[in-house]
Amino acid sequence: MRFWLRNEEMALEEMVQRLNAVSKRAGGRGQDGCPVITFPDYPTFSDIPDKEFQNVMTYLTSIPSSQDTGIGFILVIDRRQDKWTSVKASVLRIAASFPANLQLVLVLRPTGFFQRTLSDIAFKFNRDDFKMKVPIIMLSSVPELHGYIDKSQLTEDLGGTLDYCHSRWLCHRTAIESFALMVKQTAQMLQSFGTELAETELPNDVQSTSLVLSAHTEKKDKMKEDMKLALQEGHTILESIREPLAKNPEYSLNQDQLDNQTTVQRLLAQLNETEAAFDEFWAKHQQKLEQCLQLRHFEQNFREVKVALDLVSQKMTTLADVGNSLAHVEHLLKDLANFEEKSNVSVEKARALCLEGSQLIENKHYAVDSIHPKCNELQHLCDHFAAEIGKRRNLLSKSLELHGLLETSMKWCDEGIYLLASQPVDKCQSQDGAEAALQEIEKFLETGAENKIQELNKIYKEYESILNQDLTEHVQKVFQKQESMEEMFHRRQVSLKKLAAKQTRPVQPVAPRPEAFTKSPCPSPGIRRGSENSSSSEGNALRRGNYRRAKSEMSENQQVRSGSTGDEEESLAILRRHVMNELLDTERVYVEELLCVLEGYAAEMDNPLMMHLISTSLQNKKDVLFGNMEEIYHFHNRIFLRELENYIDCPELVGRCFLERMEEFQIYEKYCQNKPRSESLWRQCSDCPFFQECQKKLDHKLSLDSYLLKPVQRITKYQLLLKEMLKYSKNCEGAEDLQEALSSILGILKAVNDSMHLIAITGYDGNLNDLGKLLMQGSFSVWTDHKKGHSKVKDLARFKPMQRHLFLHEKAVLFCKKREENGEGYEKAPSYSYKQSLNMTAVGITENVKGDNKKFEIWYNAREEVYIVQAPTPEIKAAWVNEIRKVLTSQLQACREASQHRALEQSQSLPLPASSNTSPSRGNTKAVKKLEERKTDPLSLEGYGSSASLPKPPEKGKGWSKTSHSLDASEDNDGWSSAEEPVNSSDAEEDGGAGPRKLVPGKYTVVVDQEKGGLEALPAKSGDVVEVMNEGDEGLWYVRNLTTSKEGWVPASSLSTLIGKSRSAQCLSSSGKSPRPQFTHLDPLASQPKANLRGKKNCNQVDSDS
């Protein structure tokens, strides 16, 4: 704050104090307008340092204008109250320190007589000491002063009339100097800020540019605020100077006031000019920063849009599939529409960015050379995307058109095939029927002009752009199918035309004329012989004519019959192709649905743009929700569907395709095991906005849970299609494969169903896999009857059944309690609480319980524990009894083979015999499997020989045969016993055989299905009731089937006593020794009973929670 003193350190406040002490600027002027400076009487004037005095003089001389300063100053030194010595010192000091021009120095000398006299004498003697450039006049009084300066230019203390207030003058000067300093500092700050702005480098990113612009704007606003305050200060000072005029309009300002006003106005003008220059500079700088920010935003958006368009272009390159069916192409078009809709977001951003860049160029942006190439590149990418989308849509439209033609042709062929198959052969034998059928065919063939493929080469030429190898083969197959169908129609037309054109020729018999016999008498032998010869020749001719006619009719009938047989085979072939087409079509739809779910739901769960729609309970749960659906999709899409297509021309052999891939179908077991978890998660999150958004994008009418059920529905659909195919392929080459494939698929379904129940078992400590294969499972009512139990418990157990779910394994049977979980419909997921288990090596069964045909007994450890099991239906009971019998029989067979093996090893006389399950020499695995089944089933009728070896049926009235026949122990069922006929299994082993089963008259139940093995063999199904009529050789009984009323031979071992003289029920056990003779229960391998597989609960206890 140094206005008048550039390099001095004197403060303004100190200057004000010195002005009060040293001099006054009253604003008066001399006659020629020179400024007047008054030095009042000040006793301590000599004490003021020279430097400070010099500063005061410099300041006082700087106040007037340069014009006034050039004229020179008039100094008035008032020393009326002082001494001469000080007057001399003051004059000499002033004269020596005054920095400007002096025109006149007026000194009022001391008024005292002595001092005035002394001053006169001293001035005369010391005149040379006062020699200056201007004259010094000593005045004795104020009136003398008035002679040099007018009163109006002098203050009151000098006898003048000038309106002057020294304090006010000091206040104005202080304010002016402060304002001038403020203006100077503001100008310096603006200059330095402008330099800073000019030297600022433009940042290269949006954030830095925004920060710089914000910082500069903030500084600019602060500068503007300072300038505003400075202007307010200047106007305040100006109003203070003009205050007398405001109070009195007639008041005239003195020269000093006018100079102060001019100074303030000049400073205000300077400040305004500085502000205007700064505003202009700031506008340019701000525009540059804003354009830089716009450029950085443009560049950033360009990079983002460029990356998005590159991804779109990259995705476009992968869209090369033209579809393999009409539904697939429609799905691809829908996917293309969705892709275009999603991509249009990036494309629209790119176009908007191009427009923004064009506007920047129009607004004369400083970086036009950088913006223009980027706009051109974005425009090129947008145009390229639009062109590629259009090209892709045209290709898919072509593909849709082609597949529409193919589908129409195939549909036409299928309708034609159905037409041929629906024409009854018997009705076509008549002329009217043949004509009607012929008209149907001709009418149908007329529709081929608009439905069939006309020229194959034209198709190749028209759809060359989309024809790949697979599609070309598909076109060829459809065309071949069309030609084959037309050929079938032509053959049928030929046959029908023959039948329609056939005319039945009536036979006209030739009778002898009556008059020939009446007119001629009895002829001679010769004549009679001649007549006989003639009549015989006529008869022969007639017979030969009739024979030829009959022969021709027979040959025509044979041709018709052979044609009918051929038509029947042709109809079956048509139906097989129809089933195959349905299999392929549904398989393709199934694959597309899986792909749609995986891409439309599963993949979207990893999409960052969709994460905000996914609830927290659904996050990271994709594997739970979808299971191994992706694995299923890849198997069907890459392997199974392609292999199925190889059998389109030979559908009867499609069973091989299933058999070859049967192991891969095990993946469905994993999917079904995960299904309860998936359904539980779906119930929790079905209202999630994510699923609704995905369903909306896919345009699905059904929600996701319907599509998650597709794999379960598909694996069950296969067995229905295989049954249909087997129905129309019974006499074909692949019938056995179809039957085996059907059995395998049903086995997989059973395994899947069983596994769903197994995983729901809780509380079992061991490993369920150690129990062997799960054979059956189901819910039953169970009563317990334990030998060692308390009598009250036993009585309670008799009347209160327990609801138990039984799991029959190869090595044990598990008893569990079924518990229903919360849920609705199929979503109910039951669980099973484990209760106990029985080792199959210590189990026996009683097939029939008196009073209820749905009950059977499972007893354990020689009937120490007896479980009476009631099935829901007799059929379920029969199935469980048969399965348990098979397990026990196989265990017994294994025990015998082990005993024979040890005996042979001990004898060492003969080599070890081949196992009964040894594979035959030929390599047909199916035949080996069937042969093994026959050998391991001791109750099968096959193996007894042909019908020639069967005994003859008994003659009526001869009664029961008493002869007994020997049966090898390996073929008889040693596990069966009754009260009248105790059999000891271990004794039988030691004797090397067992006695024949004793014939007991009565009714029996067939426990093993019997097929027609010979002319006299009786076919029967498990559960049929038969009545024994006679006993034959080789363990065969002659029975009458009470269900079908047919008679024949069946193995005695396949029958179970139902009603007879013996009231005891038959029982079967594979091991163990029973102290009671009516139940066989011995372990052939050890003298001590084996350890039981026991659960946590004792079998002797009554289940308290049942």
Side-chain angles (χ1 to χ4, degrees):
M1 299 173 69
R2 306 287 187 266
F3 174 72
W4 49 271
L5 187 59
R6 304 294 181 197
N7 298 317
E8 302 295 335
E9 297 297 331
M10 186 177 182
L12 185 59
E13 291 79 6
E14 297 176 358
M15 178 61 65
V16 172
Q17 294 176 4
R18 296 296 177 238
L19 288 172
N20 281 325
V22 177
S23 64
K24 294 179 180 178
R25 276 289 289 118
R29 293 290 187 273
Q31 294 180 355
D32 52 359
C34 57
V36 178
I37 297 177
T38 302
F39 289 89
D41 190 8
Y42 188 63
T44 59
F45 181 76
S46 61
D47 296 338
I48 296 174
D50 293 339
K51 187 175 181 180
E52 293 182 5
F53 182 75
Q54 182 70 35
N55 289 337
V56 171
M57 292 296 101
T58 304
Y59 176 71
L60 290 175
T61 55
S62 65
I63 293 175
S65 64
S66 57
Q67 182 180 357
D68 294 340
T69 303
I71 298 174
F73 288 87
I74 297 175
L75 301 183
V76 179
I77 302 173
D78 186 7
R79 287 295 178 264
R80 288 175 293 174
Q81 303 298 326
D82 205 353
K83 298 177 181 180
W84 169 248
T85 55
S86 61
V87 171
K88 177 183 178 182
S90 297
V91 172
L92 292 175
R93 188 175 187 183
I94 290 172
S97 302
F98 198 79
N101 296 330
L102 285 174
Q103 188 179 21
L104 181 64
V105 177
L106 300 175
V107 179
L108 288 175
R109 58 187 177 181
T111 58
F113 176 78
F114 175 76
Q115 294 296 328
R116 185 173 52 188
T117 305
L118 181 62
S119 62
D120 290 339
I121 298 170
F123 184 74
K124 292 179 181 180
F125 287 101
N126 298 301
R127 186 178 293 275
D128 294 337
D129 295 338
F130 295 101
K131 285 183 178 180
M132 300 175 66
K133 296 180 180 180
V134 294
I136 298 176
I137 300 173
M138 290 291 181
L139 302 176
S140 299
S141 63
V142 172
E144 292 180 5
L145 178 63
H146 293 168
Y148 294 95
I149 301 174
D150 190 80
K151 288 182 179 182
S152 62
Q153 300 300 321
L154 293 175
T155 59
E156 293 179 357
D157 59 338
L158 293 177
T161 60
L162 181 65
D163 182 17
Y164 174 76
C165 178
H166 189 60
S167 61
R168 185 180 59 190
W169 182 84
L170 288 176
C171 181
H172 286 172
R173 293 309 306 177
T174 303
I176 290 171
E177 295 301 335
S178 177
F179 178 60
L181 185 60
M182 183 184 295
V183 171
K184 178 182 178 182
Q185 289 178 343
T186 302
Q188 290 176 346
M189 291 175 61
L190 289 177
Q191 184 177 2
S192 62
F193 182 53
T195 304
E196 178 185 351
L197 295 183
E199 295 177 353
T200 301
E201 293 184 1
L202 298 178
N204 293 323
D205 59 282
V206 174
Q207 185 177 4
S208 300
T209 307
S210 299
L211 291 176
V212 170
L213 180 59
S214 177
H216 287 186
T217 304
E218 185 177 355
K219 287 185 179 181
K220 184 267 301 183
D221 293 339
K222 188 176 182 304
M223 293 291 179
K224 293 287 289 183
E225 188 66 27
D226 292 341
M227 283 189 285
K228 182 179 179 181
L229 293 175
L231 289 171
Q232 290 177 354
E233 181 71 17
H235 287 293
T236 302
I237 296 171
L238 191 60
E239 291 175 359
S240 177
I241 294 172
R242 294 176 175 176
E243 184 177 0
L245 286 175
K247 293 180 180 180
N248 184 11
E250 297 180 356
Y251 180 83
S252 61
L253 298 177
N254 59 37
Q255 190 62 41
D256 278 352
Q257 290 173 333
L258 292 174
D259 290 342
N260 289 342
Q261 178 178 320
T262 303
T263 301
V264 173
Q265 289 175 344
R266 177 174 54 81
L267 290 174
L268 286 173
Q270 180 182 350
L271 190 59
N272 287 327
E273 290 177 1
T274 304
E275 183 182 15
F278 176 74
D279 288 343
E280 182 180 357
F281 174 77
W282 170 254
K284 294 180 180 179
H285 180 73
Q286 185 182 24
Q287 180 183 10
K288 190 172 184 179
L289 282 179
E290 289 177 349
Q291 287 184 350
C292 179
L293 185 60
Q294 292 172 350
L295 178 63
R296 300 298 176 247
H297 277 295
F298 178 80
E299 291 174 344
Q300 180 177 340
N301 293 335
F302 172 78
R303 289 191 292 269
E304 294 176 356
V305 171
K306 180 70 164 53
V307 170
L309 290 180
D310 288 342
L311 291 176
V312 169
S313 299
Q314 185 177 358
K315 179 68 174 178
M316 278 295 300
T317 58
T318 62
L319 300 178
D321 193 3
V322 294
N324 52 25
S325 66
L326 187 63
H328 190 199
V329 177
E330 291 175 348
H331 181 70
L332 290 176
L333 280 170
K334 187 180 295 184
D335 288 345
L336 182 64
N338 293 334
F339 171 70
E340 184 180 7
E341 182 180 357
K342 294 179 181 178
S343 302
N344 276 337
V345 177
S346 300
V347 174
E348 290 301 324
K349 287 182 179 179
R351 297 191 185 278
L353 194 59
C354 285
L355 182 60
E356 181 182 345
S358 300
Q359 292 176 350
L360 292 177
I361 294 174
E362 290 178 2
N363 294 334
K364 298 181 180 179
H365 196 281
Y366 70 88
V368 174
D369 295 339
S370 175
I371 298 173
H372 194 269
K374 292 181 173 62
C375 291
N376 291 337
E377 184 175 359
L378 290 177
Q379 188 64 40
H380 173 71
L381 290 174
C382 293
D383 295 342
H384 177 71
F385 170 76
E388 290 295 323
I389 283 289
K391 181 180 178 182
R392 175 68 181 161
R393 185 179 289 106
N394 291 336
L395 288 178
L396 289 179
S397 299
K398 279 280 188 182
S399 180
L400 184 69
E401 183 180 348
L402 176 58
H403 280 98
L405 293 175
L406 298 177
E407 291 282 346
T408 303
S409 177
M410 293 178 65
K411 184 178 180 181
W412 183 69
C413 292
D414 291 339
E415 291 175 354
I417 290 171
Y418 275 122
L419 175 61
L420 293 178
S422 62
Q423 288 183 341
V425 178
D426 53 347
K427 292 184 179 180
C428 294
Q429 304 303 314
S430 65
Q431 186 175 0
D432 294 339
E435 289 178 352
L438 190 60
Q439 289 178 358
E440 287 182 351
I441 290 177
E442 291 175 349
K443 184 177 179 180
F444 177 80
L445 289 177
E446 291 176 358
T447 63
E450 56 185 16
N451 292 320
K452 69 177 183 178
I453 300 174
Q454 301 294 340
E455 298 180 13
L456 195 58
N457 292 331
K458 185 178 179 181
I459 294 292
Y460 289 157
K461 184 177 181 181
E462 185 176 355
Y463 300 99
E464 183 181 2
S465 57
I466 62 170
L467 284 177
N468 52 29
Q469 182 177 358
D470 294 338
L471 191 52
T472 303
E473 293 178 355
H474 184 45
V475 171
Q476 292 174 350
K477 288 181 179 179
V478 173
F479 191 74
Q480 291 174 0
K481 179 179 181 180
Q482 178 180 297
E483 289 183 333
S484 300
M485 192 274 294
E486 289 178 336
E487 184 179 354
M488 291 162 51
F489 265 76
H490 291 319
R491 288 202 303 268
R492 179 67 64 88
Q493 279 182 307
V494 172
S495 300
L496 292 175
K497 286 179 180 179
K498 290 182 179 180
L499 292 172
K502 175 183 174 183
Q503 298 293 332
T504 304
R505 289 174 292 182
V507 178
Q508 298 179 357
V510 178
R513 296 179 180 180
E515 57 271 20
F517 295 97
T518 56
K519 290 183 179 180
S520 59
C522 185
S524 62
I527 298 173
R528 187 168 56 246
R529 200 164 37 246
S531 63
E532 287 178 357
N533 291 337
S534 62
S535 62
S536 64
S537 62
E538 292 177 358
N540 290 336
L542 179 62
R543 283 195 297 271
R544 280 196 299 271
N546 292 337
Y547 171 75
R548 292 191 189 99
R549 190 178 301 113
K551 185 176 181 181
S552 64
E553 292 178 357
M554 287 179 61
S555 62
E556 290 179 0
N557 290 334
Q558 287 176 358
Q559 289 178 0
V560 171
R561 283 196 297 271
S562 63
S564 301
T565 304
D567 290 343
E568 184 178 357
E569 290 296 326
E570 187 176 308
S571 300
L572 291 176
I574 292 171
L575 293 173
R576 286 195 296 270
R577 281 195 290 271
H578 166 64
V579 176
M580 189 65 196
N581 289 335
E582 182 181 359
L583 174 60
L584 281 172
D585 292 342
T586 54
E587 185 72 14
R588 294 188 184 106
V589 172
Y590 174 57
V591 170
E592 290 172 5
E593 288 176 340
L594 292 182
L595 177 61
C596 190
V597 171
L598 292 173
E599 290 185 347
Y601 286 96
E604 289 296 313
M605 291 186 72
D606 299 328
N607 186 355
L609 300 178
M610 300 285 285
M611 293 301 293
H612 66 284
L613 299 176
I614 300 178
S615 60
T616 55
S617 58
L618 187 61
Q619 292 179 357
N620 301 321
K621 296 291 181 64
K622 183 170 74 170
D623 293 339
V624 176
L625 185 62
F626 298 97
N628 62 329
M629 180 181 285
E630 185 174 359
E631 183 182 5
I632 294 175
Y633 166 72
H634 288 312
F635 163 64
H636 284 272
N637 183 50
R638 298 175 181 174
I639 300 174
F640 192 63
L641 177 58
R642 298 182 181 180
E643 293 184 357
L644 280 179
E645 291 173 345
N646 296 331
Y647 291 89
I648 190 170
D649 295 327
C650 45
E652 65 276 1
L653 303 179
V654 75
R656 299 175 184 176
C657 183
F658 281 88
L659 292 176
E660 291 172 357
R661 297 298 173 184
M662 199 55 64
E663 291 184 3
E664 282 87 341
F665 278 102
Q666 302 298 328
I667 57 180
Y668 279 91
E669 185 172 347
K670 180 179 178 181
Y671 184 85
C672 294
Q673 288 177 353
N674 180 71
K675 197 70 175 66
R677 297 175 61 205
S678 175
E679 291 172 352
S680 176
L681 181 61
W682 169 256
R683 289 195 298 270
Q684 297 174 14
C685 308
S686 59
D687 296 333
C688 181
F690 169 78
F691 295 121
Q692 299 172 5
E693 182 66 21
C694 292
Q695 184 177 351
K696 182 179 178 181
K697 288 183 178 180
L698 295 173
D699 195 21
H700 281 179
K701 296 181 180 179
L702 301 177
S703 55
L704 175 61
D705 58 328
S706 300
Y707 290 91
L708 293 177
L709 199 60
K710 293 292 182 181
V712 181
Q713 296 171 340
R714 186 58 182 171
I715 192 64
T716 57
K717 177 72 173 177
Y718 286 131
Q719 56 101 6
L720 299 177
L721 293 171
L722 286 173
K723 284 181 180 178
E724 284 294 310
M725 185 65 75
L726 183 62
K727 178 180 177 182
Y728 305 131
S729 309
K730 291 185 178 180
N731 298 324
C732 297
E733 177 185 353
E736 293 183 0
D737 291 334
L738 287 170
Q739 182 62 53
E740 189 173 353
L742 175 60
S743 301
S744 300
I745 286 291
L746 292 174
I748 288 178
L749 291 175
K750 182 179 181 301
V752 167
N753 184 53
D754 292 343
S755 67
M756 296 288 288
H757 291 275
L758 276 181
I759 61 175
I761 296 178
T762 59
Y764 184 73
D765 290 337
N767 188 356
L768 293 174
N769 295 328
D770 297 338
L771 302 182
K773 181 180 177 182
L774 178 63
L775 303 176
M776 302 188 77
Q777 52 85 21
S779 296
F780 299 88
S781 297
V782 179
W783 290 263
T784 59
D785 188 6
H786 295 176
K787 181 189 299 183
K788 297 181 181 180
H790 194 272
S791 60
K792 291 184 179 180
V793 176
K794 292 172 67 177
D795 294 339
L796 179 63
R798 292 178 187 273
F799 301 104
K800 186 178 180 181
M802 299 176 292
Q803 299 302 318
R804 290 290 180 263
H805 200 88
L806 272 60
F807 293 89
L808 177 61
H809 292 262
E810 292 177 331
K811 298 181 180 179
V813 57
L814 270 62
F815 290 77
C816 299
K817 183 173 182 179
K818 185 177 182 180
R819 302 184 186 276
E820 294 288 346
E821 299 293 339
N822 295 330
E824 297 181 358
Y826 69 90
E827 295 178 348
K828 279 190 176 181
S831 63
Y832 303 97
S833 299
Y834 169 76
K835 296 301 179 183
Q836 60 210 41
S837 60
L838 306 178
N839 194 333
M840 291 302 293
T841 58
V843 164
I845 61 168
T846 302
E847 292 188 13
N848 298 308
V849 175
K850 184 178 179 182
D852 194 339
N853 63 347
K854 295 184 291 185
K855 289 183 180 179
F856 64 97
E857 287 184 352
I858 300 178
W859 38 271
Y860 194 73
N861 281 345
R863 297 189 68 84
E864 288 184 1
E865 302 170 10
V866 178
Y867 301 89
I868 302 172
V869 182
Q870 184 182 43
T873 62
E875 292 76 12
I876 295 178
K877 170 211 166 180
W880 272 74
V881 169
N882 289 339
E883 198 64 38
I884 295 175
R885 285 180 63 249
K886 289 180 182 179
V887 174
L888 299 179
T889 303
S890 62
Q891 289 181 353
L892 183 61
Q893 185 70 18
C895 293
R896 289 175 176 171
E897 290 178 356
S899 300
Q900 294 174 1
H901 182 70
R902 286 198 303 272
L904 290 174
E905 284 184 345
Q906 292 175 358
S907 63
Q908 296 182 355
S909 60
L910 292 174
L912 189 66
S915 172
S916 62
N917 290 335
T918 303
S919 301
S921 58
R922 57 180 179 173
N924 191 337
T925 57
K926 303 182 186 67
V928 171
K929 183 175 180 180
K930 292 183 178 180
L931 183 60
E932 290 175 351
E933 290 176 354
R934 292 171 188 153
K935 289 188 175 183
T936 54
D937 189 358
L939 306 178
S940 175
L941 185 62
E942 298 186 27
Y944 283 98
S946 63
S947 61
S949 61
L950 291 175
K952 295 181 179 180
E955 297 180 8
K956 294 183 179 181
K958 288 194 175 182
W960 295 90
S961 173
K962 300 298 182 180
T963 59
S964 62
H965 304 278
S966 175
L967 187 64
D968 187 85
S970 64
E971 297 181 357
D972 196 8
N973 194 342
D974 291 346
W976 290 92
S977 62
S978 64
E980 284 93 350
E981 186 183 355
V983 179
N984 191 308
S985 297
S986 59
D987 294 341
E989 287 287 342
E990 292 173 0
D991 295 340
R997 182 173 178 180
K998 184 178 180 181
L999 176 65
V1000 180
K1003 297 180 180 179
Y1004 289 77
T1005 302
V1006 179
V1007 296
V1008 177
D1009 291 345
Q1010 301 296 324
E1011 298 181 357
K1012 184 77 173 179
L1015 295 177
E1016 301 295 336
L1018 176 67
K1021 295 183 178 179
S1022 177
D1024 290 352
V1025 179
V1026 299
E1027 182 179 5
V1028 178
M1029 302 178 64
N1030 201 350
E1031 182 177 8
D1033 298 332
E1034 300 180 355
L1036 297 178
W1037 288 356
Y1038 193 82
V1039 301
R1040 181 166 63 92
N1041 192 333
L1042 300 180
T1043 305
T1044 61
S1045 300
K1046 295 182 180 180
E1047 297 180 0
W1049 295 97
V1050 296
S1053 57
S1054 66
L1055 303 180
S1056 173
T1057 303
L1058 180 64
I1059 303 175
K1061 293 181 179 179
S1062 174
R1063 295 182 180 179
S1064 63
Q1066 293 182 338
C1067 307
L1068 177 64
S1069 173
S1070 63
S1071 59
K1073 184 175 181 180
S1074 173
R1076 297 167 67 178
Q1078 62 267 31
F1079 295 98
T1080 303
H1081 196 78
L1082 294 178
D1083 187 352
L1085 299 181
S1087 58
Q1088 298 296 331
K1090 293 185 179 180
N1092 300 335
L1093 287 173
R1094 306 301 299 153
K1096 293 183 178 180
K1097 294 188 178 182
N1098 194 315
C1099 290
N1100 296 329
Q1101 296 177 350
V1102 176
D1103 190 359
S1104 60
D1105 63 350
S1106 62

